[in-house]
Amino acid sequence: QSGEVAANPEQYDESYLCPVQVGQTTLNLDFDTGSADLWVFSTLTPKSESTGHSLYNPSTGTKKSGYTWDISYGDGSGASGTVYADKVVVGGVTATSQAVEAATSVSSQFEQDTDNDGLLGLAFSSINTVEPQAQKTFFDSVKGSLAKPLFTADLKKGAAGTYDFGYIDSSKYTGSISYVNVNTANGFWEFTASGYAVGSGSVSGSVGDAIADTGTTLMYLPTTVVQAYYNKVDSADYDSNQGGYTYDCSENLPNFLISLGGKTFTVSGTDINFAPVDSSGETCFGGIQENTGIGMSILGDIFLKSVFVVFDQTQSTPRLGFAAQ
Ligand SMILES: O=C(CN1CCCCC1)Nc1ccc2c(c1)OCO2
């Protein structure tokens, strides 16, 4: 089988939500290549936490007795609950007995984002949080039945993009796809990014160890790289109250160039201009921030909306393919 699903941006492209049939209900889920749990708001979630969300009703599923899950994300958000097996359909691709993690508790960030009805993890199943037995991601559940064991991400700035499962749609990118090998030891789509440049010119240095993470809004890079970037933005400075680099919204940001698999990709300065820090619209928060404390760089949506990405398990070593879109 193969299929295509829309990826609809929230305000400021904070995250992208995709319609997914879970049991007999369609939910809008955040496809997250940085985690491996498929969890949903449910009729088991306290009403005080689930108002405004679409809810999965586990009555259509088969309860996995004694199974629980509990996930915490890098931004401090999290959720936990119990586990059911049920039908999950994404863009016409069907997992007939997918582990569906029903939330019995969610953190305030999820409670407040009423567009988001849960997450569909697309990292490696080795980091799934279900106890006493880790469960397969949706991709792992359907991989064997896909025309090709791969999926692609084509996210866009302020417009609906797509995730495709089982095929590469050559109309969604330009030029050739350049591939890098993935290290799955940490359960992420992790690879080594090469040189970078600020503004224009030839790339140099090295961004290094990085993950492709559709569930993270921004780009988190080494301090040296981030300082080199904001040195080219006159009004920029690190604002500890905001927890990152801010600048005058009126200032034009330089492009950021990064070399992956021997090909240089350009993230436009307009894409790096993330959002105002408050309703006055005077000061803006940058889409490139420091990776301090994370342990690797994260190429999140700010980067991914500039490229077409292939998450490829056609070979014994998984690969990431990047092309300009
Ligand atoms: O937490 C996430 C992504 N997460 C995906 C699931 C929804 C909530 C956001 N990313 C992240 C990962 C590491 C970080 C970070 C953010 O901020 C600083 O370090």
PDB file of all heavy atoms in Angstrom, residues 192-225:
ATOM      1  N   THR A 192      25.264  12.980  10.666  1.00  0.00           N
ATOM      2  CA  THR A 192      26.294  14.018  10.817  1.00  0.00           C
ATOM      3  C   THR A 192      26.095  15.081   9.746  1.00  0.00           C
ATOM      4  O   THR A 192      26.189  14.781   8.538  1.00  0.00           O
ATOM      5  CB  THR A 192      27.697  13.399  10.697  1.00  0.00           C
ATOM      6  OG1 THR A 192      27.838  12.384  11.710  1.00  0.00           O
ATOM      7  CG2 THR A 192      28.754  14.467  10.906  1.00  0.00           C
ATOM      8  N   ALA A 193      25.804  16.295  10.207  1.00  0.00           N
ATOM      9  CA  ALA A 193      25.675  17.431   9.288  1.00  0.00           C
ATOM     10  C   ALA A 193      27.059  18.046   9.089  1.00  0.00           C
ATOM     11  O   ALA A 193      27.888  18.036  10.007  1.00  0.00           O
ATOM     12  CB  ALA A 193      24.708  18.450   9.871  1.00  0.00           C
ATOM     13  N   SER A 194      27.322  18.592   7.916  1.00  0.00           N
ATOM     14  CA  SER A 194      28.669  19.088   7.618  1.00  0.00           C
ATOM     15  C   SER A 194      28.745  20.613   7.765  1.00  0.00           C
ATOM     16  O   SER A 194      28.173  21.176   8.691  1.00  0.00           O
ATOM     17  CB  SER A 194      29.072  18.636   6.206  1.00  0.00           C
ATOM     18  OG  SER A 194      28.920  17.224   6.102  1.00  0.00           O
ATOM     19  N   GLY A 195      29.415  21.281   6.810  1.00  0.00           N
ATOM     20  CA  GLY A 195      29.735  22.703   6.943  1.00  0.00           C
ATOM     21  C   GLY A 195      28.520  23.614   6.883  1.00  0.00           C
ATOM     22  O   GLY A 195      27.414  23.178   6.529  1.00  0.00           O
ATOM     23  N   TYR A 196      28.729  24.856   7.257  1.00  0.00           N
ATOM     24  CA  TYR A 196      27.640  25.843   7.254  1.00  0.00           C
ATOM     25  C   TYR A 196      28.203  27.190   6.836  1.00  0.00           C
ATOM     26  O   TYR A 196      29.424  27.421   6.821  1.00  0.00           O
ATOM     27  CB  TYR A 196      26.995  25.934   8.644  1.00  0.00           C
ATOM     28  CG  TYR A 196      27.930  26.548   9.672  1.00  0.00           C
ATOM     29  CD1 TYR A 196      27.889  27.906   9.961  1.00  0.00           C
ATOM     30  CD2 TYR A 196      28.870  25.757  10.325  1.00  0.00           C
ATOM     31  CE1 TYR A 196      28.765  28.456  10.880  1.00  0.00           C
ATOM     32  CE2 TYR A 196      29.751  26.305  11.244  1.00  0.00           C
ATOM     33  CZ  TYR A 196      29.697  27.651  11.514  1.00  0.00           C
ATOM     34  OH  TYR A 196      30.567  28.198  12.418  1.00  0.00           O
ATOM     35  N   ALA A 197      27.288  28.086   6.451  1.00  0.00           N
ATOM     36  CA  ALA A 197      27.686  29.471   6.152  1.00  0.00           C
ATOM     37  C   ALA A 197      26.521  30.379   6.538  1.00  0.00           C
ATOM     38  O   ALA A 197      25.360  29.950   6.570  1.00  0.00           O
ATOM     39  CB  ALA A 197      27.997  29.634   4.665  1.00  0.00           C
ATOM     40  N   VAL A 198      26.834  31.613   6.859  1.00  0.00           N
ATOM     41  CA  VAL A 198      25.806  32.598   7.209  1.00  0.00           C
ATOM     42  C   VAL A 198      25.713  33.603   6.070  1.00  0.00           C
ATOM     43  O   VAL A 198      26.726  34.165   5.656  1.00  0.00           O
ATOM     44  CB  VAL A 198      26.131  33.317   8.521  1.00  0.00           C
ATOM     45  CG1 VAL A 198      25.054  34.355   8.861  1.00  0.00           C
ATOM     46  CG2 VAL A 198      26.254  32.303   9.659  1.00  0.00           C
ATOM     47  N   GLY A 199      24.542  33.818   5.532  1.00  0.00           N
ATOM     48  CA  GLY A 199      24.326  34.785   4.457  1.00  0.00           C
ATOM     49  C   GLY A 199      24.522  34.132   3.108  1.00  0.00           C
ATOM     50  O   GLY A 199      23.567  33.717   2.448  1.00  0.00           O
ATOM     51  N   SER A 200      25.763  34.051   2.671  1.00  0.00           N
ATOM     52  CA  SER A 200      26.037  33.397   1.363  1.00  0.00           C
ATOM     53  C   SER A 200      27.463  32.865   1.430  1.00  0.00           C
ATOM     54  O   SER A 200      28.068  32.850   2.496  1.00  0.00           O
ATOM     55  CB  SER A 200      25.917  34.449   0.260  1.00  0.00           C
ATOM     56  OG  SER A 200      26.894  35.475   0.515  1.00  0.00           O
ATOM     57  N   GLY A 201      27.966  32.431   0.308  1.00  0.00           N
ATOM     58  CA  GLY A 201      29.362  32.002   0.259  1.00  0.00           C
ATOM     59  C   GLY A 201      29.543  30.515   0.508  1.00  0.00           C
ATOM     60  O   GLY A 201      28.560  29.774   0.618  1.00  0.00           O
ATOM     61  N   SER A 202      30.782  30.114   0.622  1.00  0.00           N
ATOM     62  CA  SER A 202      31.065  28.665   0.717  1.00  0.00           C
ATOM     63  C   SER A 202      30.975  28.221   2.177  1.00  0.00           C
ATOM     64  O   SER A 202      31.294  28.970   3.101  1.00  0.00           O
ATOM     65  CB  SER A 202      32.466  28.385   0.169  1.00  0.00           C
ATOM     66  OG  SER A 202      33.386  29.233   0.854  1.00  0.00           O
ATOM     67  N   VAL A 203      30.542  26.984   2.351  1.00  0.00           N
ATOM     68  CA  VAL A 203      30.353  26.449   3.702  1.00  0.00           C
ATOM     69  C   VAL A 203      31.704  26.050   4.273  1.00  0.00           C
ATOM     70  O   VAL A 203      32.629  25.699   3.551  1.00  0.00           O
ATOM     71  CB  VAL A 203      29.381  25.246   3.691  1.00  0.00           C
ATOM     72  CG1 VAL A 203      27.998  25.685   3.239  1.00  0.00           C
ATOM     73  CG2 VAL A 203      29.915  24.118   2.820  1.00  0.00           C
ATOM     74  N   SER A 204      31.810  26.095   5.603  1.00  0.00           N
ATOM     75  CA  SER A 204      33.031  25.652   6.305  1.00  0.00           C
ATOM     76  C   SER A 204      32.645  25.220   7.708  1.00  0.00           C
ATOM     77  O   SER A 204      31.492  25.373   8.119  1.00  0.00           O
ATOM     78  CB  SER A 204      34.046  26.806   6.374  1.00  0.00           C
ATOM     79  OG  SER A 204      33.484  27.866   7.158  1.00  0.00           O
ATOM     80  N   GLY A 205      33.629  24.645   8.442  1.00  0.00           N
ATOM     81  CA  GLY A 205      33.349  24.182   9.800  1.00  0.00           C
ATOM     82  C   GLY A 205      32.465  22.946   9.758  1.00  0.00           C
ATOM     83  O   GLY A 205      32.395  22.254   8.736  1.00  0.00           O
ATOM     84  N   SER A 206      31.785  22.687  10.862  1.00  0.00           N
ATOM     85  CA  SER A 206      30.929  21.498  10.934  1.00  0.00           C
ATOM     86  C   SER A 206      29.842  21.679  11.987  1.00  0.00           C
ATOM     87  O   SER A 206      30.135  22.009  13.141  1.00  0.00           O
ATOM     88  CB  SER A 206      31.745  20.258  11.311  1.00  0.00           C
ATOM     89  OG  SER A 206      30.843  19.189  11.580  1.00  0.00           O
ATOM     90  N   VAL A 207      28.592  21.456  11.539  1.00  0.00           N
ATOM     91  CA  VAL A 207      27.477  21.470  12.492  1.00  0.00           C
ATOM     92  C   VAL A 207      27.535  20.212  13.352  1.00  0.00           C
ATOM     93  O   VAL A 207      27.242  20.246  14.538  1.00  0.00           O
ATOM     94  CB  VAL A 207      26.132  21.559  11.737  1.00  0.00           C
ATOM     95  CG1 VAL A 207      24.948  21.294  12.663  1.00  0.00           C
ATOM     96  CG2 VAL A 207      26.010  22.928  11.055  1.00  0.00           C
ATOM     97  N   GLY A 208      27.892  19.073  12.748  1.00  0.00           N
ATOM     98  CA  GLY A 208      28.081  17.830  13.501  1.00  0.00           C
ATOM     99  C   GLY A 208      26.807  17.035  13.714  1.00  0.00           C
ATOM    100  O   GLY A 208      25.864  17.106  12.950  1.00  0.00           O
ATOM    101  N   ASP A 209      26.782  16.296  14.832  1.00  0.00           N
ATOM    102  CA  ASP A 209      25.707  15.349  15.153  1.00  0.00           C
ATOM    103  C   ASP A 209      24.351  16.061  15.234  1.00  0.00           C
ATOM    104  O   ASP A 209      24.202  17.054  15.955  1.00  0.00           O
ATOM    105  CB  ASP A 209      26.042  14.704  16.509  1.00  0.00           C
ATOM    106  CG  ASP A 209      25.038  13.647  16.915  1.00  0.00           C
ATOM    107  OD1 ASP A 209      24.480  12.997  16.011  1.00  0.00           O
ATOM    108  OD2 ASP A 209      24.790  13.502  18.116  1.00  0.00           O
ATOM    109  N   ALA A 210      23.388  15.541  14.453  1.00  0.00           N
ATOM    110  CA  ALA A 210      22.088  16.227  14.384  1.00  0.00           C
ATOM    111  C   ALA A 210      20.979  15.202  14.159  1.00  0.00           C
ATOM    112  O   ALA A 210      21.224  14.098  13.664  1.00  0.00           O
ATOM    113  CB  ALA A 210      22.091  17.235  13.236  1.00  0.00           C
ATOM    114  N   ILE A 211      19.737  15.590  14.525  1.00  0.00           N
ATOM    115  CA  ILE A 211      18.587  14.748  14.205  1.00  0.00           C
ATOM    116  C   ILE A 211      17.612  15.534  13.344  1.00  0.00           C
ATOM    117  O   ILE A 211      17.498  16.766  13.487  1.00  0.00           O
ATOM    118  CB  ILE A 211      17.865  14.216  15.475  1.00  0.00           C
ATOM    119  CG1 ILE A 211      17.209  15.334  16.278  1.00  0.00           C
ATOM    120  CG2 ILE A 211      18.816  13.397  16.333  1.00  0.00           C
ATOM    121  CD1 ILE A 211      16.285  14.829  17.388  1.00  0.00           C
ATOM    122  N   ALA A 212      16.911  14.826  12.461  1.00  0.00           N
ATOM    123  CA  ALA A 212      15.817  15.420  11.670  1.00  0.00           C
ATOM    124  C   ALA A 212      14.554  15.209  12.476  1.00  0.00           C
ATOM    125  O   ALA A 212      14.123  14.066  12.683  1.00  0.00           O
ATOM    126  CB  ALA A 212      15.712  14.725  10.318  1.00  0.00           C
ATOM    127  N   ASP A 213      13.967  16.303  12.981  1.00  0.00           N
ATOM    128  CA  ASP A 213      12.875  16.185  13.947  1.00  0.00           C
ATOM    129  C   ASP A 213      11.669  17.042  13.561  1.00  0.00           C
ATOM    130  O   ASP A 213      11.633  18.247  13.844  1.00  0.00           O
ATOM    131  CB  ASP A 213      13.375  16.598  15.334  1.00  0.00           C
ATOM    132  CG  ASP A 213      12.313  16.391  16.403  1.00  0.00           C
ATOM    133  OD1 ASP A 213      11.187  15.971  16.066  1.00  0.00           O
ATOM    134  OD2 ASP A 213      12.617  16.654  17.595  1.00  0.00           O
ATOM    135  N   THR A 214      10.675  16.407  12.930  1.00  0.00           N
ATOM    136  CA  THR A 214       9.483  17.142  12.492  1.00  0.00           C
ATOM    137  C   THR A 214       8.666  17.652  13.674  1.00  0.00           C
ATOM    138  O   THR A 214       7.844  18.556  13.507  1.00  0.00           O
ATOM    139  CB  THR A 214       8.572  16.231  11.642  1.00  0.00           C
ATOM    140  OG1 THR A 214       8.218  15.083  12.438  1.00  0.00           O
ATOM    141  CG2 THR A 214       9.269  15.785  10.367  1.00  0.00           C
ATOM    142  N   GLY A 215       8.878  17.094  14.870  1.00  0.00           N
ATOM    143  CA  GLY A 215       8.085  17.490  16.038  1.00  0.00           C
ATOM    144  C   GLY A 215       8.650  18.673  16.787  1.00  0.00           C
ATOM    145  O   GLY A 215       8.035  19.159  17.737  1.00  0.00           O
ATOM    146  N   THR A 216       9.842  19.144  16.375  1.00  0.00           N
ATOM    147  CA  THR A 216      10.447  20.309  17.029  1.00  0.00           C
ATOM    148  C   THR A 216      10.329  21.515  16.111  1.00  0.00           C
ATOM    149  O   THR A 216      10.644  21.406  14.925  1.00  0.00           O
ATOM    150  CB  THR A 216      11.923  20.020  17.364  1.00  0.00           C
ATOM    151  OG1 THR A 216      11.961  19.016  18.387  1.00  0.00           O
ATOM    152  CG2 THR A 216      12.636  21.275  17.861  1.00  0.00           C
ATOM    153  N   THR A 217       9.891  22.613  16.655  1.00  0.00           N
ATOM    154  CA  THR A 217       9.583  23.800  15.852  1.00  0.00           C
ATOM    155  C   THR A 217      10.831  24.441  15.252  1.00  0.00           C
ATOM    156  O   THR A 217      10.866  24.766  14.061  1.00  0.00           O
ATOM    157  CB  THR A 217       8.867  24.859  16.714  1.00  0.00           C
ATOM    158  OG1 THR A 217       7.784  24.251  17.413  1.00  0.00           O
ATOM    159  CG2 THR A 217       8.358  26.008  15.864  1.00  0.00           C
ATOM    160  N   LEU A 218      11.856  24.605  16.092  1.00  0.00           N
ATOM    161  CA  LEU A 218      13.005  25.429  15.706  1.00  0.00           C
ATOM    162  C   LEU A 218      14.214  24.584  15.324  1.00  0.00           C
ATOM    163  O   LEU A 218      14.149  23.355  15.317  1.00  0.00           O
ATOM    164  CB  LEU A 218      13.358  26.369  16.864  1.00  0.00           C
ATOM    165  CG  LEU A 218      12.202  27.230  17.416  1.00  0.00           C
ATOM    166  CD1 LEU A 218      12.709  28.149  18.505  1.00  0.00           C
ATOM    167  CD2 LEU A 218      11.514  28.014  16.309  1.00  0.00           C
ATOM    168  N   MET A 219      15.318  25.302  15.013  1.00  0.00           N
ATOM    169  CA  MET A 219      16.619  24.646  14.791  1.00  0.00           C
ATOM    170  C   MET A 219      17.471  24.910  16.021  1.00  0.00           C
ATOM    171  O   MET A 219      17.561  26.061  16.473  1.00  0.00           O
ATOM    172  CB  MET A 219      17.321  25.249  13.561  1.00  0.00           C
ATOM    173  CG  MET A 219      16.644  24.957  12.246  1.00  0.00           C
ATOM    174  SD  MET A 219      17.401  25.890  10.887  1.00  0.00           S
ATOM    175  CE  MET A 219      18.937  24.978  10.698  1.00  0.00           C
ATOM    176  N   TYR A 220      18.051  23.867  16.607  1.00  0.00           N
ATOM    177  CA  TYR A 220      18.941  24.014  17.756  1.00  0.00           C
ATOM    178  C   TYR A 220      20.328  23.577  17.320  1.00  0.00           C
ATOM    179  O   TYR A 220      20.509  22.409  16.936  1.00  0.00           O
ATOM    180  CB  TYR A 220      18.441  23.173  18.934  1.00  0.00           C
ATOM    181  CG  TYR A 220      17.108  23.662  19.476  1.00  0.00           C
ATOM    182  CD1 TYR A 220      15.909  23.152  18.983  1.00  0.00           C
ATOM    183  CD2 TYR A 220      17.053  24.661  20.435  1.00  0.00           C
ATOM    184  CE1 TYR A 220      14.686  23.616  19.447  1.00  0.00           C
ATOM    185  CE2 TYR A 220      15.832  25.122  20.917  1.00  0.00           C
ATOM    186  CZ  TYR A 220      14.654  24.598  20.409  1.00  0.00           C
ATOM    187  OH  TYR A 220      13.444  25.065  20.876  1.00  0.00           O
ATOM    188  N   LEU A 221      21.285  24.520  17.298  1.00  0.00           N
ATOM    189  CA  LEU A 221      22.611  24.278  16.726  1.00  0.00           C
ATOM    190  C   LEU A 221      23.698  24.596  17.751  1.00  0.00           C
ATOM    191  O   LEU A 221      23.440  25.235  18.769  1.00  0.00           O
ATOM    192  CB  LEU A 221      22.779  25.146  15.474  1.00  0.00           C
ATOM    193  CG  LEU A 221      21.735  24.940  14.361  1.00  0.00           C
ATOM    194  CD1 LEU A 221      21.933  25.973  13.251  1.00  0.00           C
ATOM    195  CD2 LEU A 221      21.807  23.524  13.805  1.00  0.00           C
ATOM    196  N   PRO A 222      24.968  24.191  17.461  1.00  0.00           N
ATOM    197  CA  PRO A 222      26.066  24.484  18.399  1.00  0.00           C
ATOM    198  C   PRO A 222      26.219  25.991  18.633  1.00  0.00           C
ATOM    199  O   PRO A 222      25.983  26.804  17.718  1.00  0.00           O
ATOM    200  CB  PRO A 222      27.293  23.911  17.687  1.00  0.00           C
ATOM    201  CG  PRO A 222      26.748  22.831  16.801  1.00  0.00           C
ATOM    202  CD  PRO A 222      25.426  23.358  16.331  1.00  0.00           C
ATOM    203  N   THR A 223      26.634  26.353  19.844  1.00  0.00           N
ATOM    204  CA  THR A 223      26.764  27.760  20.240  1.00  0.00           C
ATOM    205  C   THR A 223      27.623  28.547  19.263  1.00  0.00           C
ATOM    206  O   THR A 223      27.295  29.669  18.885  1.00  0.00           O
ATOM    207  CB  THR A 223      27.369  27.832  21.652  1.00  0.00           C
ATOM    208  OG1 THR A 223      26.541  27.063  22.522  1.00  0.00           O
ATOM    209  CG2 THR A 223      27.450  29.248  22.146  1.00  0.00           C
ATOM    210  N   THR A 224      28.721  27.905  18.793  1.00  0.00           N
ATOM    211  CA  THR A 224      29.634  28.625  17.880  1.00  0.00           C
ATOM    212  C   THR A 224      28.912  29.038  16.603  1.00  0.00           C
ATOM    213  O   THR A 224      29.069  30.145  16.100  1.00  0.00           O
ATOM    214  CB  THR A 224      30.817  27.721  17.496  1.00  0.00           C
ATOM    215  OG1 THR A 224      30.277  26.460  17.040  1.00  0.00           O
ATOM    216  CG2 THR A 224      31.738  27.481  18.671  1.00  0.00           C
ATOM    217  N   VAL A 225      28.074  28.122  16.112  1.00  0.00           N
ATOM    218  CA  VAL A 225      27.332  28.375  14.865  1.00  0.00           C
ATOM    219  C   VAL A 225      26.287  29.462  15.089  1.00  0.00           C
ATOM    220  O   VAL A 225      26.131  30.383  14.275  1.00  0.00           O
ATOM    221  CB  VAL A 225      26.650  27.072  14.385  1.00  0.00           C
ATOM    222  CG1 VAL A 225      25.819  27.314  13.134  1.00  0.00           C
ATOM    223  CG2 VAL A 225      27.695  25.984  14.143  1.00  0.00           C
TER     224      VAL A 225
END
